[in-house]
Amino acid sequence: MDTFPIYCGGEFIETDEILEVTNPYTGKSFARTFNAGSAELEKAIKSAESVRVTLQDLPSFSKYDILMELANGLASDKQHFAEILSLESGKPIRYAIGEIDRSIQCFRVAAEESRRLPRESMSLDWTPAGKGKEGWVKYFPVGIVAGISPFNFPMNLAVHKIAPAIAAGCPIILKPSSSTPLSVLLLSRLIDKTALPKGAVSILPMNRQIGNQLVTDERISLLSFTGSPVVGWNMKKNAGHKKVVLELGGNAGVIISSSANIEDAVNKCVYGSFAYSGQVCIHTQRIYIHKDVFHSFINQFAAKTNALVKGDPLNSSTDISVMIDEANARRVELWVQEAIEEGASLICGGKRDGGYYEPTVITGTNIGMKVCCEEIFGPVVVVEQIDNFQQGIERVNEGCFGLQAGVFTDSLQEMNDAFNNLEVGGVIINDVPTFRVDHMPYGGIRESGLGREGIRYAILDMMEPRILVKNS
Amino acid sequence: MDTFPIYCGGEFIETDEILEVTNPYTGKSFARTFNAGSAELEKAIKSAESVRVTLQDLPSFSKYDILMELANGLASDKQHFAEILSLESGKPIRYAIGEIDRSIQCFRVAAEESRRLPRESMSLDWTPAGKGKEGWVKYFPVGIVAGISPFNFPMNLAVHKIAPAIAAGCPIILKPSSSTPLSVLLLSRLIDKTALPKGAVSILPMNRQIGNQLVTDERISLLSFTGSPVVGWNMKKNAGHKKVVLELGGNAGVIISSSANIEDAVNKCVYGSFAYSGQVCIHTQRIYIHKDVFHSFINQFAAKTNALVKGDPLNSSTDISVMIDEANARRVELWVQEAIEEGASLICGGKRDGGYYEPTVITGTNIGMKVCCEEIFGPVVVVEQIDNFQQGIERVNEGCFGLQAGVFTDSLQEMNDAFNNLEVGGVIINDVPTFRVDHMPYGGIRESGLGREGIRYAILDMMEPRILVKNS
Amino acid sequence: MDTFPIYCGGEFIETDEILEVTNPYTGKSFARTFNAGSAELEKAIKSAESVRVTLQDLPSFSKYDILMELANGLASDKQHFAEILSLESGKPIRYAIGEIDRSIQCFRVAAEESRRLPRESMSLDWTPAGKGKEGWVKYFPVGIVAGISPFNFPMNLAVHKIAPAIAAGCPIILKPSSSTPLSVLLLSRLIDKTALPKGAVSILPMNRQIGNQLVTDERISLLSFTGSPVVGWNMKKNAGHKKVVLELGGNAGVIISSSANIEDAVNKCVYGSFAYSGQVCIHTQRIYIHKDVFHSFINQFAAKTNALVKGDPLNSSTDISVMIDEANARRVELWVQEAIEEGASLICGGKRDGGYYEPTVITGTNIGMKVCCEEIFGPVVVVEQIDNFQQGIERVNEGCFGLQAGVFTDSLQEMNDAFNNLEVGGVIINDVPTFRVDHMPYGGIRESGLGREGIRYAILDMMEPRILVKNS
Amino acid sequence: MDTFPIYCGGEFIETDEILEVTNPYTGKSFARTFNAGSAELEKAIKSAESVRVTLQDLPSFSKYDILMELANGLASDKQHFAEILSLESGKPIRYAIGEIDRSIQCFRVAAEESRRLPRESMSLDWTPAGKGKEGWVKYFPVGIVAGISPFNFPMNLAVHKIAPAIAAGCPIILKPSSSTPLSVLLLSRLIDKTALPKGAVSILPMNRQIGNQLVTDERISLLSFTGSPVVGWNMKKNAGHKKVVLELGGNAGVIISSSANIEDAVNKCVYGSFAYSGQVCIHTQRIYIHKDVFHSFINQFAAKTNALVKGDPLNSSTDISVMIDEANARRVELWVQEAIEEGASLICGGKRDGGYYEPTVITGTNIGMKVCCEEIFGPVVVVEQIDNFQQGIERVNEGCFGLQAGVFTDSLQEMNDAFNNLEVGGVIINDVPTFRVDHMPYGGIRESGLGREGIRYAILDMMEPRILVKNS
């Protein structure tokens, strides 16, 4: 069984608290790593403090070289990274490879952005008080960043914190999910080989109690959390002086207009609903379909859902496999049962087998049901008929979240209505809300979060403006 | 009869060469001004040179105050300005008032932009060669600007050169059209009252021979010409070292998709085709209508065209009046006759009465006819049927111009196709190509011009970047 | 005695809880207004909610007109506004007029910025996953804003919240300081006359208990607080989901290099140290002077300090007058006494007379003394000698604040060192940290705050980005 | 003897007109290539036209991959490229390697910028006329680009045209210098291996008569010329409709303030004066030194100049070698002799040996002498004493050029004076005007040129804005 030491203040170390990592598909542990304790976290913070000024002063060519080296390192060992990721998360290998590709791209974009850190300049002589003066604004690294990343994109959502931190010149301490710490620990071996000063990046699995210090410690200047809404909002309360970025979940909705290309919509909705068993922040959870195309859509959608290939994640033909653990599969099963008891009906799926839950389509729901108003984070999608486009907007806005929404339409007016009225961070035209590329501003409003990620946006959050007022 | 002295190097002067100004509607001269000769132009250039550094050093609060004073001055004497403009140009008073409103807005926007002159800053340490260095770019006024403006918007197209020049800090010598020099000479009285240094602005009517020195004189750093294509392109050849901005004309086309709102399209097309008798650079000259809506469109369009009110420009209910002079009306008459002889047919209009030419709609044309391929600059519009949207794009692209195009559609895909494939400076969705607001980037490609106007864009052309490379 | 009704949900109302307003100079109440209670606050929130969508949809020309009307309204009644402000705050009339001028400018800048709300666009086809897609980002108003403003700039620090809110399209509920509610209530009469929908702005004096609901109420999306550090940071904890902007204070320092222009530095430091009795967030509290110029500086500085004219705030020759209340004067007296007891010495000043505290200069201090490490918010300045410039940087960085710093130097290298190493939001070259113009990004790091004001920056905080992902 | 076919419309071909390439150091031809004739140029233009739309539609990930492949291709064969470049140009190998490094960087930056092509968006509802409308601006490739590049940076100044053209999506026909066509023809072999459509890039050596068609042919939309002023300005006249970018030369000056670090200034000035025998557009031609430091500067400068190592360009220790040909060495000799006859004196150097001209320092000159007012493009530098900094500014501004200027100073005020008053495209603080990194905006004013290069700026010139006006 492989052992992955943790990466603490520039050293690979082991601790007394062993963390076994389980393959969700086999249910067996296949590797081990360690939880950091207080001492390790203290060491990581101290190391981070000690390199803060060095990092701030790194020229952009150094940051560029480091970040490109990481991109190239991932690219030349892509298959290995993808397999570890698939093993720890149960993610089908095809998607795992895609995730490594995205992480490569994140490092590349961060390399490019490290050369383009925000700057502003302005005349200040708009009134006589500023005569002869002008302002130059540079952005300086905010200080130590704490990142907490979830199990569902074990590599890429960690890289969305690490790569911007390097570009911004901030030390970072990253806590990966306890279920999926391995791929990012593997990455730390690449990080260690670069010219980055030791202590700039620490990767520390931690139990929740120790991890909570990342929230409360005042030596940390920014907390960037990706995970569940309840946990995230609670962190904001306890964060003290530090800035907080929250990337939480949602119950993302889609509208299918009567002018939509139905075949295209069906294909993308199947992907959005069931990729990685719906364990995706922007999982397509609700689809509102215009009555004129409802039956056509549903028939095709159910047929394609039933055709999804179930199997071992490591098999390249597998479309869908087990969830991260059986507890989650049971929770999903329960929510669907509750919905059905309250009047919803099953179009397909609905059965559980251990940690596997069938791709499931239900209808006849309302926003009071958990399958609608909470984040299901499982392979379940609600499909409902609407009388007109405006109704679709209202339905998608139901509930307390606001991450992304998809709209399939060829109508300019519908596009504008959707964009102006859907209360979300992103409106995706002719694609599912599940669409994301890594340089776009990404994040939610309402209960879905605070702030935006996407390399340039994450960098901006990790920096503080400082104006130089001088004679012109 | 009123006499308008010309504004030369900060003085109001008269010359020996009297310029009578004719009211196109009555055919009688109603005021007089003067042509500048070589001596006056030399004085204006010398004055401009003498204030160049003073202007460059004006703080932004001074420029702001000057420009806002001009906006306020126009606003408080709007009716008077509009009447002079209507008298000299034959423009219906309703449109003349609209033009003064736009000039007010131009000065306001220029005031705002004078505070926001372009600046850039960047790190330069992308390679070790730039280690420790950064770059701060400021834009400096280019030097003396020569502006040449046409008769059709006697005030606003002059203001589109004067206001940016003040904001940029450039002295300007403006040559108005010999037909319509009065409104901008009236404006010069407001300019003279501001704190602008004398010589910063000169307004000089000139005959073409003297005016040509604006093209060739090497003391002038930028020539900004609005007028006819042949004249403009010839200027570019003779301009020596100076930068040249050309705002020329076109044969602007419109596409009416089957998904368009026909009533809205008809109303806007009547305006675009016949406002100020089509004497507008972005006059709607060609309309391509999907076969499914062709007859519906044509019927409504002809009815509304026939309902246009002909009359005295000073009458507020007048929609259409005489052209700028009878020669132009005769030219338009000839072109329409030629088209008919070559196979086109008249839907309505087609008659001339002195300087008045009826609003005219023809069909059955081809791109070989002058009414299609040249700029008609008169109240004539061609309407043709198309089989599909793609054909509309091809037809609009016919000919050598590329200023703006209008597209009436509710289809996203058609919007994208139009935007990506229409070879123009601006694609106007659900409006006529005649649409323009004064802060948007405006200008043509192909034979329609070089460069963009729109306050911020004109300012940019009147400035030169200078980088400061310094230690960081 | 004048009565000022409060402005609640678009109505001017009186409540049972009378708030007497005292003239700090005479010690007598001269006007009355009212505290809002729970019912009034509820009404204000409900009204704000009811106009949220209307405000979001206001075209920019409407916002522009409203904001310019407010600027013009202030300008045409400037003296009256300044007198009320002087009466309620004890601010010398010269500075009070300056404050109204700045508020006029804030409304103008907000008018301009309402036309330039942030937008972004980007290609999304950086990887095959985004092929054919592009992103357009618009910013939408964040929701209801709560503003809490302090006594020291009763008008302008309120306007720094109201003007951006109007520009952004957010309803705002503003709580002015209980000491100085009148000038902004006077402003509310101008606001009420504009076309702004009723309920868009409410101005509500409140006691602290009621005011606390602005912090905790989840219907409010953004809290913008200007005031003392302790209060501010505590609000951040209790703010729930909402965004928080904190503009707090500091202990701003100045460095005088041996290359400085001493006469210029002295004049500006006298202003920075004693304007409005130091009751300014960016009050010049500490001056570190190179040993080669220390004595020259100190001699001139003490002489000019002693020449300040004490008197009635309404007298236009008055330089300095009473503090906001006697309690504050006593606190300042105590801190200075403590410093002296711990070894500091008095160069001039040091006496209190009721609410008046003399302009006071002390030396021989250290960072452990309150006069150095806490925000004194009174007419006291510390002057100390340094051996070299680097030492000046270290001394200025002492303590927990980081708002602005001033540096008097002609050396490029010293400027760069200062800019890169002073841990503040703004480094002011050849001027005091007290320098601020209203469009520049302003705000502190460390204990001095979170976020930036300055019209454009405040607007940005009041908006949320939303990306439209569409076919290109 | 190696033969290099030319790269025409995607094919490597040979023509009847053989072009022998001479090694300036040995005086012997060492390789051969071919001049394109009319037929080849026509083929290149036709091929360019045929791929215009394909290039316009290339997704950014394709352009990125192509450009990075070129960067990597150069990097992996750097020594070979540098040797060919050194052989054809006589450039010392150390500088030749540096030039290849810069070309690698140009391709990388172009790859990054191909993802960040300019886009703008704006609200259009600043007046009621634009109610409900907004504008989205995209930039489209301008059409076929013709590039003409000089002998002195045979690779990098060609890459400054090729790389932006690929990023912008424009076909390009590049004419290298007849003296140094080989390195860029070697590059064409890498280009041919990429996925770029055949015909997108042609590399055609041509005689001047054929080359002139690049200036006059109306199928070409942009001419980008780097070379001598007389030739460049003449092209502008004959360029017809097309846009013209001119990167010409100058007589760059340096000011040494009394506050400068003299040792640093000396070292950089030796580099700026003699690198590649001064055959550099931003060669340091004139140095104005404050009287207080004049003798100290001159002594060190002469000593270091005399220490330069003369030799074979292929030898890595060689600092200086032959000029591009003997004719140029004779011209330089003549100019120096003329200056001496008119009163200047020689500090060191002044002798010619075949194509080699000694590094030469002269003083006692005036702006009437060719060594001051014309571009000497040889290893000659003028040093003069000034009484004060202001005088230095005046002297540097003498003459008709305005490319870059260097200023050695530690004074903020001198920096500001220099930046505001030196009439150049770039003011380099504490470095020579010879400083350039490849992403900065670079170019001259006055006789030194028109437009800016630097990857992003070159791309901007190769694109045209098109606005989409749509409902919001």
Side-chain angles (χ1 to χ4, degrees), chain D residues 95-381:
Chain D
Y95 293 124
I97 289 173
E99 185 174 342
I100 305 302
D101 278 332
R102 288 180 58 185
S103 297
I104 293 167
Q105 175 69 358
C106 282
F107 279 118
R108 282 185 181 175
V109 174
E112 299 174 9
E113 294 297 336
S114 72
R115 300 168 153 193
R116 295 169 174 83
L117 297 179
R119 279 156 185 257
E120 297 166 67
S121 51
M122 66 197 71
S123 62
L124 296 178
D125 63 351
W126 296 18
T127 57
K131 189 170 180 182
K133 285 194 157 65
E134 62 187 2
W136 293 352
V137 183
K138 273 169 78 169
Y139 283 67
F140 289 79
V142 76
I144 304 176
V145 171
I148 300 179
S149 59
F151 79 82
N152 59 333
F153 288 85
M155 176 66 88
N156 200 40
L157 293 181
V159 171
H160 263 290
K161 304 188 190 308
I162 295 168
I166 295 172
C170 293
I172 182 168
I173 298 168
L174 184 105
K175 176 190 173 308
S177 164
S178 295
S179 308
T180 58
L182 301 185
S183 44
V184 70
L185 282 169
L186 202 58
L187 173 69
S188 72
R189 299 179 191 175
L190 297 181
I191 293 172
D192 192 63
K193 285 182 195 146
T194 69
L196 206 59
K198 300 309 172 197
V201 177
S202 288
I203 311 287
L204 304 184
M206 287 178 251
N207 64 39
R208 190 161 284 197
Q209 188 195 349
I210 299 291
N212 191 49
Q213 193 184 327
L214 296 178
V215 180
T216 57
D217 196 300
E218 288 287 10
R219 292 170 295 179
I220 294 170
S221 299
L222 173 76
L223 171 66
S224 177
F225 172 77
T226 303
S228 77
V230 173
V231 175
W233 289 111
N234 198 49
M235 285 177 176
K236 179 171 183 292
K237 274 187 208 145
N238 300 315
H241 285 51
K242 70 177 65 59
K243 291 167 72 178
V244 176
V245 175
L246 301 175
E247 296 294 337
L248 312 175
N251 60 346
V254 168
I255 308 174
I256 314 283
S257 156
S258 54
S259 67
N261 176 331
I262 296 303
E263 187 182 347
D264 183 52
V266 165
N267 288 334
K268 290 172 175 168
C269 284
V270 169
Y271 164 81
S273 301
F274 304 118
Y276 192 39
S277 298
Q279 299 170 119
V280 176
C281 306
I282 36 179
H283 161 239
T284 300
Q285 185 166 341
R286 298 174 298 146
I287 308 178
Y288 298 102
I289 305 139
H290 192 279
K291 60 185 175 187
D292 292 353
V293 295
F294 183 75
H295 291 293
S296 161
F297 180 91
I298 289 303
N299 292 340
Q300 295 179 50
F301 187 71
K304 296 215 168 164
T305 297
N306 286 325
L308 291 172
V309 177
K310 171 187 173 184
D312 183 342
L314 287 179
N315 187 329
S316 70
S317 64
T318 295
D319 289 316
I320 189 160
S321 185
V322 292
M323 292 181 63
I324 187 69
D325 54 31
E326 189 168 327
N328 270 287
R330 286 186 185 279
R331 178 187 51 76
V332 169
E333 180 180 38
L334 188 66
W335 289 17
V336 171
Q337 282 170 353
E338 276 180 22
I340 289 168
E341 282 160 18
E342 293 169 30
S345 22
L346 210 53
I347 291 179
C348 62
K351 296 209 189 64
R352 184 181 64 79
D353 174 13
Y356 175 74
Y357 194 79
E358 284 187 331
T360 297
V361 184
I362 54 180
T363 190
T365 66
N366 63 59
I367 194 62
M369 299 174 179
K370 285 203 187 102
V371 291
C372 284
C373 71
E374 301 204 8
E375 181 179 33
I376 194 155
F377 227 64
V380 175
V381 65

Side-chain angles (χ1 to χ4, degrees), chain A residues 52 56 105 109 112-113 120 122-127 129-130 133 136-140 233 236-237 239-244 268 404 415 418-431 435-437 439-441 444-447 449-452 456-457 464-471, chain C residues 52 56 105 109 112-113 120 122-127 129-130 133 136-140 233 236-237 239-244 268 404 415 418-431 435-437 439-441 444-447 449-452 456-457 464-471:
Chain A
R52 197 177 64 78
Q56 175 173 314
Q105 175 69 0
V109 174
E112 299 174 8
E113 294 297 335
E120 298 166 65
M122 65 197 72
S123 63
L124 296 179
D125 63 350
W126 296 18
T127 57
K133 285 194 159 63
W136 294 352
V137 183
K138 274 170 78 169
Y139 283 66
F140 289 79
W233 290 111
K236 177 171 183 292
K237 273 186 209 144
H241 285 54
K242 69 177 65 61
K243 291 167 71 178
V244 176
K268 289 171 175 168
Q404 295 200 139
M415 176 180 84
F419 188 45
N420 288 320
N421 296 303
L422 285 171
E423 298 190 6
V424 291
V427 174
I428 318 294
I429 301 298
N430 291 324
D431 214 326
F435 175 83
R436 180 183 183 188
V437 290
H439 68 286
M440 86 186 214
I445 58 173
R446 299 158 97 193
E447 304 276 317
L450 202 63
R452 292 293 179 282
R456 192 158 65 84
Y457 302 86
E464 281 281 356
R466 184 180 299 164
I467 187 169
L468 179 71
V469 174
K470 58 173 284 298
N471 290 351
Chain C
R52 197 177 63 80
Q56 175 173 315
Q105 175 68 359
V109 175
E112 300 174 7
E113 294 297 335
E120 297 165 67
M122 67 198 70
S123 63
L124 295 179
D125 62 351
W126 297 18
T127 56
K133 285 194 158 62
W136 297 92
V137 183
K138 274 170 78 169
Y139 283 67
F140 289 78
W233 289 112
K236 179 171 183 289
K237 275 187 208 146
H241 285 52
K242 70 176 65 59
K243 289 166 72 178
V244 177
K268 289 171 176 168
Q404 295 199 140
M415 177 179 85
F419 188 45
N420 288 321
N421 296 302
L422 285 171
E423 297 189 7
V424 292
V427 173
I428 319 294
I429 301 297
N430 291 323
D431 214 327
F435 176 83
R436 181 183 182 188
V437 291
H439 68 286
M440 85 187 214
I445 57 172
R446 299 159 97 192
E447 304 277 314
L450 203 62
R452 291 294 179 280
R456 191 157 68 82
Y457 301 86
E464 280 282 357
R466 185 180 299 164
I467 187 168
L468 179 70
V469 174
K470 60 175 282 299
N471 290 351

